[in-house]
Amino acid sequence: MIQKLKRRLTFLMAALTSLVLGGALIVTWSLSQKQFETSAEALFDSNFSSMCNRLSDTATVTDVWLSEQELGTGCLLFLQDNGSALHYTGSLPSESPRSELESLALEGAELFLDRSNLDQNGAVIQQEAHYNLGGSSGDFYHCAAALLPRGTQGEYLLLVMMQEQGFLTRHMLWSALQYIGLWLAGSALLALISYWLVGKALAPTAQALRQQKEFIAAASHELRSPLAVVKTSLQALDETQPPERQQQLLRNAQSETDRMARLTDDLLLLANGDLGNLPTHLEAVAPDNLCIELYDQFYLLARQASHGLTLTLPDTAVPAIQADAGRLKQLLAILLNNAMEHTPAGTGIELVLCGDGAKTPITFLVVDHGHGISNEDKAHIFDRFYRADTSRTSKRNFGLGLSVARELARLHHATLTVEDTPGGGATFRLQFIP
């Protein structure tokens, strides 16, 4: 399911980002094409003006000069001196015949330029015109024509410069191909980035689903054993059994029912913690008084389990903390029970309170002197249903106690960690962040 969702989200994210990229590239391509056309037009006008100035200042024009101008500007040039065309073979090729283009260019100039427009001295007034025309081979040209005066008797020189417009189309197609290639490469890169980002975003969800499956599987495994005992005990309970046997079967069923009740309570606590619905009643709690109550509660239990329990309190007064007294006692009780269950008989257990709440944080320590916890187990000791012994044959716990303790610590905005006890054993540290 996660993989299918990952593919769909990757496709959606890649498609959306590719559309945005495509839109940005289209706008950029359009602007660059307009800029290119504007620059080409400005260059054409500049070359035409320079040529008009040169022809206005010189009396003779050579074929060599015209050839150089055609090659330098990339434009076809046609001249007419007082109505007589200058026969220049040209140096640039054209798709349509040059003679045809010359005829069309001069005819177009005749439409826009008036040779009869003279000044008061009888000289032709200088004029310019721009127009477009097409050749018989499908080629298209932009033309600029100028009527240049020659003396005061109405003499003139007609200049027509023609620029074939196919280069604009070729540039447009080539730049479009470049932008399409850029879009494809960008889309591929965006798809890879989308795949990585979606994977990172879904990683917590995938981990949560995996943990949920493991949680359900482990809970089912833990519930199967007590349910089987209860069912077997009830099936065997009949009038043919002696009273002692009936009592034993009832005790077995009651014991397993109690185990299921504890498991259910722990599961509900963890589930409510995951949802943020765990009820709490925060109030001012005196840490030293809480430790004394726990010590009184567990002293006899520790002696019955052949453990010595000691309590260490600070010499100075300890300020109150904001906590749920019942939940905090439940947390520390879990740690004390854990110490009694996992340390050999005859070893001591310490309940230590330290810190002043100002310079050093209030800290509860539960110290045992057993076999300790390996570094590998430390990484998973607070995982749900985790036990160093994976056989799950113990009937005293389900591997949820420390998970519940960590959840209760989080509820109090405190940290719960485990470390090695000097000389052997484990020390659980509950520290309230000031």
Side-chain angles (χ1 to χ4, degrees):
M1 182 180 70
I2 288 294
Q3 289 300 321
K4 187 176 181 180
L5 179 62
K6 184 178 181 180
R7 288 193 296 269
R8 288 184 176 180
L9 289 178
T10 299
F11 174 78
L12 179 61
M13 184 175 179
L16 291 176
T17 52
S18 295
L19 286 176
V20 174
L21 176 64
L25 289 177
I26 288 174
V27 173
T28 304
W29 172 79
S30 177
L31 292 176
S32 67
Q33 186 64 21
K34 289 181 180 179
Q35 180 64 34
F36 180 79
E37 293 175 359
T38 301
S39 299
E41 183 179 355
L43 180 61
F44 176 83
D45 292 341
S46 176
N47 289 332
F48 181 69
S49 297
S50 297
M51 193 166 296
C52 289
N53 294 333
R54 174 65 183 274
L55 292 175
S56 298
D57 296 337
T58 185
T60 59
V61 179
T62 65
D63 289 352
V64 174
W65 183 81
L66 289 173
S67 177
E68 291 175 350
Q69 296 304 309
E70 279 198 351
L71 293 175
T73 61
C75 300
L76 300 177
L77 299 177
F78 300 105
L79 292 174
Q80 193 181 66
D81 189 6
N82 294 317
S84 300
L86 297 181
H87 297 289
Y88 165 61
T89 57
S91 57
L92 286 181
S94 60
E95 296 183 20
S96 298
R98 189 179 179 93
S99 58
E100 174 192 334
L101 296 177
E102 181 179 10
S103 177
L104 292 173
L106 295 177
E107 289 177 3
E110 292 289 338
L111 295 175
F112 297 101
L113 303 177
D114 185 6
R115 296 194 302 269
S116 62
N117 190 7
L118 307 177
D119 61 11
Q120 59 184 359
N121 297 321
V124 175
I125 297 177
Q126 184 171 334
Q127 305 166 47
E128 291 186 9
H130 291 261
Y131 54 92
N132 298 317
L133 59 85
S136 59
S137 298
D139 43 345
F140 186 75
Y141 294 87
H142 176 67
C143 304
L147 193 64
L148 305 176
R150 292 280 192 176
T152 59
Q153 302 300 319
E155 295 91 349
Y156 66 90
L157 181 66
L158 177 62
L159 168 66
V160 179
M161 176 184 286
M162 301 176 60
Q163 185 180 52
E164 199 267 327
Q165 299 297 291
F167 78 98
L168 293 176
T169 303
R170 291 189 294 272
H171 177 271
M172 180 181 66
L173 294 176
W174 173 243
S175 63
L177 289 176
Q178 289 179 318
Y179 273 85
I180 290 173
L182 183 61
W183 177 75
L184 292 174
S187 296
L189 180 60
L190 287 172
L192 293 176
I193 295 175
S194 299
Y195 183 83
W196 180 77
L197 288 176
V198 170
K200 294 286 287 183
L202 290 180
T205 303
Q207 182 179 3
L209 287 176
R210 184 172 59 253
Q211 290 177 343
Q212 184 183 47
K213 291 179 180 179
E214 295 174 354
F215 185 84
I216 293 173
S220 301
H221 182 91
E222 295 292 353
L223 286 170
R224 186 183 301 117
S225 177
L227 285 173
V229 173
V230 172
K231 181 179 179 181
T232 303
S233 298
L234 293 177
Q235 287 176 344
L237 188 62
D238 56 43
E239 296 181 356
T240 61
Q241 297 288 344
E244 296 80 4
R245 179 58 177 168
Q246 291 180 3
Q247 291 298 322
Q248 181 62 42
L249 292 174
L250 287 174
R251 284 194 297 270
N252 291 342
Q254 183 177 359
S255 175
E256 295 302 321
T257 303
D258 292 340
R259 291 185 68 239
M260 285 191 294
R262 291 196 305 273
L263 174 60
T264 304
D265 289 341
D266 289 344
L267 292 175
L268 287 175
L269 188 148
L270 292 172
N272 286 326
D274 292 339
L275 296 175
N277 296 330
L278 193 60
T280 56
H281 177 63
L282 297 181
E283 58 184 349
V285 177
D288 46 1
N289 292 339
L290 184 70
C291 287
I292 294 173
E293 292 177 11
L294 281 169
Y295 176 78
D296 292 339
Q297 178 183 346
F298 278 87
Y299 178 75
L300 293 178
L301 293 176
R303 287 191 60 182
Q304 291 173 4
S306 301
H307 293 291
L309 178 62
T310 59
L311 173 63
T312 303
L313 299 176
D315 295 332
T316 58
V318 180
I321 57 175
Q322 288 296 315
D324 185 317
R327 297 294 189 186
L328 185 54
K329 289 178 69 174
Q330 181 183 3
L331 192 165
L332 294 172
I334 291 173
L335 299 180
L336 289 170
N337 278 317
N338 186 74
M340 288 190 293
E341 291 179 2
H342 295 90
T343 54
T347 57
I349 299 173
E350 303 172 32
L351 176 59
V352 181
L353 175 64
C354 56
D356 55 14
K359 296 181 180 179
T360 57
I362 301 297
T363 303
F364 296 87
L365 302 176
V366 176
V367 184
D368 68 58
H369 300 276
H371 300 297
I373 303 173
S374 67
N375 291 331
E376 181 181 357
D377 289 332
K378 285 191 184 77
H380 305 282
I381 198 69
F382 295 104
D383 294 347
R384 297 173 185 182
F385 292 108
Y386 181 82
R387 287 179 291 191
D389 178 11
T390 58
S391 63
R392 299 190 181 277
T393 58
S394 173
K395 292 185 176 293
R396 302 184 63 184
N397 61 78
F398 299 96
L400 286 176
L402 292 178
S403 300
V404 172
R406 171 64 67 87
E407 183 63 32
L408 293 175
R410 186 193 63 79
L411 187 67
H412 287 87
H413 305 289
T415 60
L416 178 61
T417 57
V418 61
E419 57 195 51
D420 293 330
T421 301
T427 297
F428 286 85
R429 179 185 298 270
L430 176 64
Q431 189 172 81
F432 281 78
I433 302 172

